[in-house]
Amino acid sequence: MQLSDFNTFDPKLNKKNVFLVSLGATEQHGRYAPLGTDNFIQNALMENVQTALPEVIFLPHIPIGPSWQHVGFQGTISLKPETLYAIIRDIVDCLKDSASTIIFVSWHGGNKPTVNEFIEKEQQDFADL
């Protein structure tokens, strides 16, 4: 279920939940593939995961990630790794009291180093997740 489908007073939100955050990218993929290729793949995968894991609460997809290797190609939008790190930190800070687990998934490889860095540096602050 999508977090955006709940309301603030939903009883399910009064217990510890598993949350999933899907990270994507908006970047060039050559002459014929669309800029949203990573996001399209990620969204299709997440639809299947939602069906298989209905108890997981899915946050809105984040469609932009670090894609600096593609900057200069028309339409590419890139976040600095420190910006993505701050986004991840803010999400975890907001969810930490209501989460048993927070899962970050990404089809775009450019997100992985930042997610891994966050886990390595912040795991002691969020040991309960």
Side-chain angles (χ1 to χ4, degrees):
M1 180 166 227
Q2 294 287 327
L3 179 62
S4 56
D5 292 335
F6 290 92
N7 70 51
T8 300
F9 302 102
D10 194 300
K12 182 166 174 128
L13 297 179
N14 289 328
K15 68 177 190 79
K16 297 281 187 175
N17 289 288
V18 175
F19 293 92
L20 188 143
V21 183
S22 172
L23 304 169
T26 301
E27 62 187 14
Q28 71 85 25
H29 284 89
R31 183 173 302 274
Y32 302 106
L35 295 165
T37 295
D38 291 311
N39 297 316
F40 300 145
I41 293 168
Q42 187 83 4
N43 288 336
L45 291 170
M46 290 304 98
E47 283 182 28
N48 289 330
V49 172
Q50 284 183 54
T51 301
L53 302 172
E55 70 282 359
V56 174
I57 299 175
F58 289 74
L59 271 68
H61 175 76
I62 299 172
I64 301 169
S67 297
W68 291 102
Q69 70 278 25
H70 299 290
V71 170
F73 290 96
Q74 292 296 327
T76 294
I77 300 173
S78 182
L79 295 179
K80 294 177 184 168
E82 58 267 25
T83 303
L84 180 59
Y85 190 101
I87 290 168
I88 292 169
R89 176 69 194 221
D90 288 348
I91 290 169
V92 172
D93 279 339
C94 288
L95 294 176
K96 66 183 176 191
D97 294 333
S98 59
S100 61
T101 305
I102 302 172
I103 302 166
F104 289 89
V105 296
S106 178
W107 183 259
H108 173 64
N111 294 320
K112 185 177 179 181
T114 304
V115 173
N116 288 344
E117 179 186 3
F118 178 84
I119 292 167
E120 182 180 308
K121 288 183 176 179
E122 308 289 344
Q123 66 183 342
Q124 60 196 359
D125 289 345
F126 302 107
D128 295 339
L129 299 179

